[in-house]
Structure formats: C-alpha cells, structure tokens
Amino acid sequence: MNMTAMKAIVLLLLCSILSSVIAQDVVCRDGTECQNGSTCIPLENGVKAFVSFNVHRRYRCDCSKTIGVQFYAGYECEYPADETCLYGEGVDTRISFCTNGGCLEVSMPEKGEIPTHKGCECNDGYEGEYCEYITGDAPQPASKLGLILGLIVTFTALSTLSGCIVIRNIRQKKAKMVEAVVGTQDE
C-alpha cells in the first residue's frame, strides 16, 4: 500500500470518529430512521421492502449524504464499512467499501479502464452489493406476474360488482312491472 493510500485511510478514520459525534438521526414519514446524517428518500415505484411481515417500508436513506467521510450502507445507513477497497492508483484511485463482509476483488484496472466497485463477499446472513441488507430484506422489484394477477383480481371484482348492480336493477324493474300488472288487475 502506498503512502498516499495510507494517508487517505487515516483521514477517513479520523473523520468518521468526528462525524459519529455530531451526526443527527432523521425519522422518515414511515418511521424509517436515517442514521449518521443521511436523508430520507422514497423507495422507487414498483419496489417492495419488508422490515417484517407486518411492516412495509416506503422510504430508505441516502447513504451518500452521511456526515463525514465514513461509508455507510443499509436502508437506514446503519452499517459502517468493515473494509475499504482501493481500485486503481494515482489520480485514478477509487475508494469503495463493504459492510458485513470483505472486498470481493481488489483489482488494478487496465490502462484507460475506469476503476469500479467489484462487489463484496458477504458474511452469512447478509446480501446486497455492499452486504448492506439482512438476507431476505433487500428491495425486490414488483414482478410482472404479481402485477398481472393484481389486474385480473381487480377486473374480476369490478365485473362481479357491475353484474350484481345490473341484476339488482333488472329485479327492481321486474318488481315494478309486476306491481303495475297486479295493480291494474285489482281495479
């Protein structure tokens, strides 16, 4: 590891200690608690996230806006980086990180290639690009099958309701016609 990289890591550690002292938590409208100075952002349309079987998330936290230079990940930016991954060298050095696991690959990019996050090897019980989610808690895009089934159920319910209204109206008209016929026979 070169001297510049070591200085960067020491600076990251010092800043993270200072930032943890001054960070304020923010609570989103759904109760999600954004930690370490992060801010609330709504989950994208079509994304479902579960805290438990009874609680659905509508917000997550923007971990790119935490206080200081410590890296955080997770819905609430609750997981600090366990390992910092350096990619490239010199002015092309990029810093990435992993929480609840370690760097999958620390590589030197080919000349002209932009260094990128290569992923993390997650500890048992965690998943995600940065191992930021408890297994099973990662956001899942709504499936097309679920959307189609939802539309079919809605259409069926509306058709049934419409049919019931039509049948009721027909019965009411028949009842009025019978009353009219019976009323004319009584006279």
Side-chain angles (χ1 to χ4, degrees):
M1 185 178 292
N2 64 32
M3 193 61 146
T4 305
M6 287 179 65
K7 286 179 183 178
I9 291 173
V10 169
L11 182 62
L12 284 171
L13 290 172
L14 288 173
C15 289
S16 72
I17 291 168
L18 289 173
S19 67
S20 66
V21 172
I22 59 173
Q24 295 282 322
D25 291 348
V26 174
V27 178
C28 305
R29 290 185 210 162
D30 68 346
T32 298
E33 186 179 321
C34 292
Q35 300 176 27
N36 302 301
S38 60
T39 57
C40 302
I41 54 175
L43 284 171
E44 295 80 16
N45 288 335
V47 173
K48 300 185 297 185
F50 303 102
V51 178
S52 69
F53 289 108
N54 298 324
V55 180
H56 296 273
R57 290 187 189 267
R58 294 181 318 184
Y59 290 87
R60 67 177 181 84
C61 304
D62 185 354
C63 299
S64 69
K65 298 184 179 181
T66 56
I67 293 175
V69 293
Q70 172 70 29
F71 296 109
Y72 294 93
Y75 279 110
E76 298 178 350
C77 303
E78 68 271 33
Y79 298 115
D82 285 345
E83 187 171 340
T84 303
C85 317
L86 297 175
Y87 302 105
E89 59 184 23
V91 294
D92 290 330
T93 300
R94 300 288 189 269
I95 299 174
S96 189
F97 67 98
C98 297
T99 64
N100 306 302
C103 298
L104 185 63
E105 176 185 343
V106 177
S107 65
M108 298 302 291
E110 298 294 323
K111 188 157 182 87
E113 181 185 9
I114 296 173
T116 58
H117 175 70
K118 303 293 184 187
C120 301
E121 183 71 36
C122 300
N123 294 336
D124 288 342
Y126 292 93
E127 66 182 349
E129 186 176 359
Y130 301 95
C131 305
E132 70 271 36
Y133 302 113
I134 294 171
T135 301
D137 195 30
Q140 301 294 321
S143 70
K144 290 182 181 180
L145 178 62
L147 180 63
I148 292 169
L149 289 174
L151 289 172
I152 290 171
V153 168
T154 302
F155 177 76
T156 303
L158 289 174
S159 298
T160 303
L161 180 63
S162 298
C164 290
I165 291 171
V166 168
I167 290 170
R168 186 193 70 188
N169 288 342
I170 291 171
R171 287 182 178 169
Q172 286 176 345
K173 284 181 183 179
K174 281 185 177 179
K176 286 181 183 178
M177 288 176 28
V178 168
E179 284 179 21
V181 170
V182 170
T184 55
Q185 288 178 349
D186 289 340
E187 295 176 359

